Amino acid sequence: MRTVCAYCGVGCSFEVGERLKGDKSYPVNEGMSCSKGISQLESIDKNRLLNTYINGKIGNYEDAINLIAKKIRNTKPERIGFYLSGQMLNEDYYVANKLAKGFIKTPNIDTNSRTCMASAVVGYKKAIGSDYVPVRMEDINHTDLLILIGANPAESHVVLFNKIKKAKKNGMKVIVIDPRFTDTAKIADLYLPITPGSDIDFLNLVAIRLIKEDLIDKEFIKTWVDGFDELRENLLKLDENELLKRSGISKKDFEKFMEMLKDAKKFITAWTMGINQSVQGVDKNLAIMNLHLITGQIRKKGSGPFSLTGQPNAMGGREVGGLATTLAVHLDYNEENKIKVAKFWEVDEVCNGPGLTAFEMIDKVDVLIVCHTDPIYHLPNRTFVEEAFSKIDLVVEINAYNGSETSKFAHIRLPAAPFGEKDGTQTNMDRTLTRAIKFREKRAKQDWEIFADLGKALGFRGFDFSSSEEVFNEYKEMTRLSPDIDIYKADYKELETKPFVWGEYALKDGFLTENKRAKVYFVENKNLHEMPNKEYSFILLTGRTRDQWHSGSKTAFVKSLKKYKPLSFVEINEVDAKNLGIQQGDEVKIISRYGELKTKVKITNIKKGSVFIPISERRVNFLTNPKIDPISKEPDYNHTAVKVVK
Ligand code: SF4
């Protein structure tokens, strides 16, 4: 038997036996796996939530469902929110989306992918017409140069990193752009220690040089790209020296970058949270896409802008419609789409949207259903988040595990099935749909069953599903309404052994806009992020470490995974440490304008003026600032001004 990993967006397949083993026959991981992935058998039964709790006391599941239904009936739809997760399977997403948008008629259904991928979603939609990732992992075997900006696959996407190392042995060059000298940077042919917040300056400088040195693909631009003249005109007004200075990269290193770029016939740019999690996240994405569109480095094997998805099914959530900004299956809110979707779900009408996004909804709803995620822990400016949650009339937590920070604020807690006990499909970072297969006795209901029970308790038709396969089949039919998702061609049984890649030919006849042309946008670094000052003089960066998954409700219980790195530490540059009289292992206070925490010092060669705290430190968001990108609504987790006190 085989199943798919429930951690990162690589989507590795495992053979299931006494232990989990990378599945050799599976094209995504070809037998590879990582320590976190294969630890899941060890963690599956630890720390499980197995009872229903009503106001802190063990209760009955049916009573809890009826209580939730009663409260929903007595609440205006616009005061009801669903907070979903990239850990849910497509079937779970589908039933939740149908229930919220089609029947309860609230558009306030968002996923925690809002906090990691929303800027990439908007970037792709603006540039190429759809939330479509135009690069596959195997493309790195066909490229000359991989530029990693704001991404650390050595810790966040381990199997992809192994693929990168293999491609590198075959001649591919790697450039890493990051304020931290990460484990990924160790294999780089060129490492550029960029100043936090200056990505747009750097990317614009590259675009200027490409234009000035006539390294652009004029034929491609003429045939396929709108907006180039305006982009060129605005870029050429910028001061190159100023851009370079702001990027914090030396002239010598920048010229080396340009040489490597010129030498590459094909290049891929890949990024994650260092780009997306920013008050200017959309513009950073667009600046990357500009480079690919003006050079024609897209729509051909071994090239393109590649947003690396963090969670196992963040992509699936985007496809099904788990984001408050879309209706379903990549359909935006407009009259035509609303009619189509209402007809499909056999309802008079669907809700009006877009809805409130993750960070926006928490202080504007009276009922909040949180599923397999922990917003108290992961949303920024935690003091505000806790206050907002404490004012919500009814918080429901659906979770397979105990101990989330959100559980302390939940009036009703419902146990749910985790990896190994649920069946369905998920989509990895490169549009590969894979079956998650139940391989052990279920000890709780699967999420979609809980949402279906709630739908039935509310008296709605259309929730009598008897299996995940039945849900999948309804979902796949719905993708026929989509402009680009062809999941209707997939077969549930076949997915057990063979993945399905959707949208393989989506760019065959051009881009996914109405006129088939892509668009470039002039974007500028407007320095919208929180600025340091004399008092708060450091910039706090956050991110994953290799062996921990988010708050650690599973991984922190696996002994072998704790060896690599502690759950909590702060990285600081050696010169900064010396100036502050701080030594390795000292306990320090990190203080921002929003909160503080104590942790131990790890001296590294992180960029001077920056500090890094891993997200396995559960208190990290007491520090982070509340700014969000105005379009994608993604929080700026990577640019909070802090001070370090011994
Ligand atoms: Fe799981 Fe990602 Fe590790 Fe693969 S690389 S085993 S998908 S955590």
Side-chain angles (χ1 to χ4, degrees):
M1 189 180 275
R2 50 151 299 279
T3 194
V4 67
C5 182
Y7 286 130
C8 87
V10 177
C12 297
S13 172
F14 299 131
E15 288 169 23
V16 184
E18 292 222 335
R19 312 174 70 139
L20 295 176
K21 250 184 19 197
D23 180 352
K24 285 203 178 96
S25 66
Y26 207 69
V28 170
N29 54 314
E30 298 162 318
M32 291 185 271
S33 60
C34 75
S35 51
K36 181 167 58 197
I38 59 166
S39 75
Q40 285 171 102
L41 277 192
E42 203 184 319
S43 62
I44 207 164
D45 275 327
K46 293 197 170 105
N47 196 31
R48 281 288 296 274
L49 173 63
L50 291 168
N51 291 307
T52 295
Y53 287 87
I54 302 172
N55 291 325
K57 294 201 179 106
I58 291 183
N60 172 285
Y61 172 80
E62 281 74 28
D63 290 349
I65 291 290
N66 287 330
L67 277 172
I68 303 165
K70 191 175 166 199
K71 178 69 185 167
I72 285 177
R73 261 190 230 109
N74 294 324
T75 305
K76 286 184 184 153
E78 65 269 25
R79 302 286 301 177
I80 298 168
F82 286 71
Y83 199 119
L84 310 183
S85 156
Q87 311 283 289
M88 292 165 61
L89 299 179
N90 290 326
E91 293 67 24
D92 305 323
Y93 263 119
Y94 179 77
V95 178
N97 203 40
K98 181 178 178 180
L99 176 64
K101 292 175 183 161
F103 289 80
I104 295 174
K105 303 198 197 297
T106 173
N108 306 329
I109 171 166
D110 211 25
T111 152
N112 61 5
S113 309
R114 176 72 51 195
T115 62
C116 54
M117 304 309 306
S119 298
V121 171
V122 179
Y124 280 131
K125 281 172 94 164
K126 286 181 82 130
I128 64 172
S130 178
D131 175 17
Y132 176 86
V133 178
V135 188
R136 309 270 331 280
M137 277 187 272
E138 60 157 13
D139 277 289
I140 60 173
N141 299 323
H142 304 276
T143 195
D144 303 311
L145 175 65
L146 175 66
I147 302 168
L148 288 158
I149 178 163
N152 181 16
E155 301 208 67
S156 299
H157 301 98
V158 178
V159 165
L160 172 63
F161 186 62
N162 290 339
K163 286 171 182 254
I164 292 170
K165 286 197 285 192
K166 211 162 138 193
K168 199 169 174 306
K169 273 192 191 138
N170 294 329
M172 180 185 76
K173 298 274 186 262
V174 176
I175 298 175
V176 173
I177 306 169
D178 199 312
R180 291 174 69 213
F181 186 77
T182 58
D183 287 354
T184 304
K186 288 176 190 160
I187 67 148
D189 297 282
L190 176 66
Y191 164 62
L192 302 180
I194 195 165
T195 298
S198 69
D199 312 84
I200 296 174
D201 297 318
F202 172 79
L203 294 161
N204 277 348
L205 182 57
V206 177
I208 292 169
R209 288 288 295 270
L210 290 170
I211 292 168
K212 282 194 173 169
E213 294 180 33
D214 206 16
L215 297 165
I216 55 176
D217 187 335
K218 289 183 189 135
E219 203 43 49
F220 183 88
I221 294 171
K222 198 169 133 205
T223 318
W224 295 114
V225 181
D226 285 333
F228 177 68
D229 290 342
E230 200 184 328
L231 173 70
R232 179 180 51 198
E233 196 185 315
N234 282 303
L235 281 173
L236 295 182
K237 285 182 197 155
L238 299 177
D239 179 339
E240 288 180 56
N241 290 329
E242 190 56 33
L243 296 178
L244 185 65
K245 199 171 138 205
R246 286 213 297 254
S247 76
I249 291 165
S250 71
K251 174 100 179 110
K252 192 170 149 228
D253 280 351
F254 183 75
E255 293 309 328
K256 176 95 195 288
F257 173 90
M258 287 308 299
E259 282 309 310
M260 288 175 72
L261 191 58
K262 280 183 225 169
D263 286 348
K265 285 201 179 68
K266 287 187 268 186
F267 73 93
I268 293 171
T269 309
W271 69 98
T272 58
M273 306 319 151
I275 292 292
N276 292 335
Q277 289 177 335
S278 163
V279 66
Q280 295 174 110
V282 170
D283 286 353
K284 288 180 184 183
N285 271 266
L286 291 171
I288 291 172
M289 294 191 204
N290 285 349
L291 296 185
H292 285 271
L293 289 168
I294 65 175
T295 53
Q297 290 283 336
I298 188 167
R299 282 183 65 210
K300 60 185 183 196
K301 216 167 183 42
S303 70
F306 192 10
S307 144
L308 308 176
T309 316
Q311 297 189 84
N313 199 31
M315 288 292 282
R318 284 150 66 170
E319 290 148 25
V320 177
L323 290 168
T325 34
T326 50
L327 176 53
V329 292
H330 280 192
L331 296 172
D332 286 332
Y333 278 97
N334 60 41
E335 283 315 305
E336 194 191 333
N337 290 342
K338 285 198 305 192
I339 291 168
K340 268 200 252 179
V341 172
K343 199 168 157 209
F344 184 83
W345 282 335
E346 298 177 352
V347 289
D348 293 344
E349 56 177 9
V350 294
C351 62
N352 267 325
L356 298 166
T357 59
F359 195 42
E360 291 173 319
M361 75 168 80
I362 57 169
D363 61 344
K364 294 177 193 71
V365 293
D366 300 321
V367 180
L368 185 63
I369 300 179
V370 181
C371 187
H372 285 293
T373 187
D374 194 357
I376 292 283
Y377 144 77
H378 74 238
L379 283 175
N381 190 9
R382 179 157 164 181
T383 307
F384 162 78
V385 175
E386 289 194 354
E387 261 173 49
F389 264 71
S390 65
K391 289 182 192 149
I392 300 173
D393 292 350
L394 177 63
V395 176
V396 179
E397 185 196 31
I398 300 171
N399 207 335
Y401 291 92
N402 268 311
S404 73
E405 300 295 312
T406 302
S407 65
K408 297 167 196 163
F409 293 80
H411 305 95
I412 294 180
R413 299 176 64 211
L414 301 174
F419 164 85
E421 293 180 17
K422 55 186 188 178
D423 214 88
T425 57
Q426 68 184 39
T427 314
N428 79 349
M429 65 168 73
D430 68 0
R431 292 178 274 109
T432 306
L433 192 68
T434 304
R435 269 287 298 282
I437 294 172
K438 173 178 165 299
F439 57 81
R440 74 200 301 265
E441 204 51 48
K442 208 158 71 165
R443 300 179 75 192
K445 295 201 182 211
Q446 189 167 333
D447 304 331
W448 71 255
E449 294 176 286
I450 298 170
F451 290 119
D453 286 344
L454 186 54
K456 285 183 265 185
L458 283 161
F460 299 137
R461 289 169 295 97
F463 293 92
D464 283 321
F465 300 105
S466 60
S467 65
S468 299
E469 180 170 4
E470 213 178 297
V471 180
F472 176 79
N473 286 338
E474 185 173 309
Y475 162 54
K476 84 170 194 177
E477 275 311 300
M478 191 182 212
T479 65
R480 288 183 194 276
L481 308 181
S482 165
D484 48 30
I485 306 172
D486 55 358
I487 286 175
Y488 59 84
K489 294 176 187 155
D491 179 88
Y492 196 73
K493 293 248 156 35
E494 263 179 40
L495 285 169
E496 256 177 50
T497 48
K498 212 168 122 220
F500 175 82
V501 182
W502 69 263
E504 270 301 72
Y505 305 102
L507 296 186
K508 191 167 60 80
D509 302 321
F511 292 98
L512 299 163
T513 51
E514 263 180 30
N515 68 1
K516 302 273 176 210
R517 290 164 66 83
K519 184 151 197 244
V520 285
Y521 295 79
F522 172 66
V523 290
E524 230 179 329
N525 183 2
K526 299 190 186 104
N527 280 321
L528 298 179
H529 44 252
E530 190 173 272
M531 300 305 278
N533 62 13
K534 252 190 170 169
E535 186 180 2
Y536 299 98
S537 60
F538 288 88
I539 295 300
L540 169 69
L541 311 170
T542 62
R544 283 192 181 141
T545 55
R546 195 189 66 184
D547 290 345
Q548 291 302 323
W549 181 256
H550 296 180
S551 69
S553 54
K554 282 166 78 179
T555 45
F557 288 83
V558 180
K559 273 192 199 138
S560 58
L561 294 181
K562 281 200 198 156
K563 282 189 290 192
Y564 176 64
K565 268 181 190 166
L567 297 175
S568 178
F569 58 88
V570 59
E571 274 187 28
I572 185 164
N573 178 279
E574 54 189 333
V575 178
D576 289 331
K578 204 170 163 201
N579 290 341
L580 291 167
I582 289 169
Q583 307 211 342
Q584 188 83 295
D586 276 358
E587 190 163 83
V588 289
K589 252 191 200 175
I590 310 296
I591 306 170
S592 76
R593 293 174 174 104
Y594 317 94
E596 60 180 64
L597 61 83
K598 268 189 205 164
T599 188
K600 292 226 158 109
V601 164
K602 189 171 170 195
I603 295 175
T604 66
N605 46 5
I606 189 171
K607 184 107 181 162
K608 254 180 97 218
S610 310
V611 293
F612 168 83
I613 297 180
I615 58 168
S616 53
E617 163 50 84
R618 278 194 171 203
R619 301 162 300 169
V620 66
N621 284 306
F622 278 115
L623 301 175
T624 48
N625 78 80
K627 286 178 185 261
I628 58 174
D629 182 285
I631 309 171
S632 71
K633 312 289 171 82
E634 180 158 348
D636 192 338
Y637 290 108
N638 282 306
H639 213 287
T640 299
V642 295
K643 58 181 161 183
V644 181
V645 180
K646 192 174 171 185

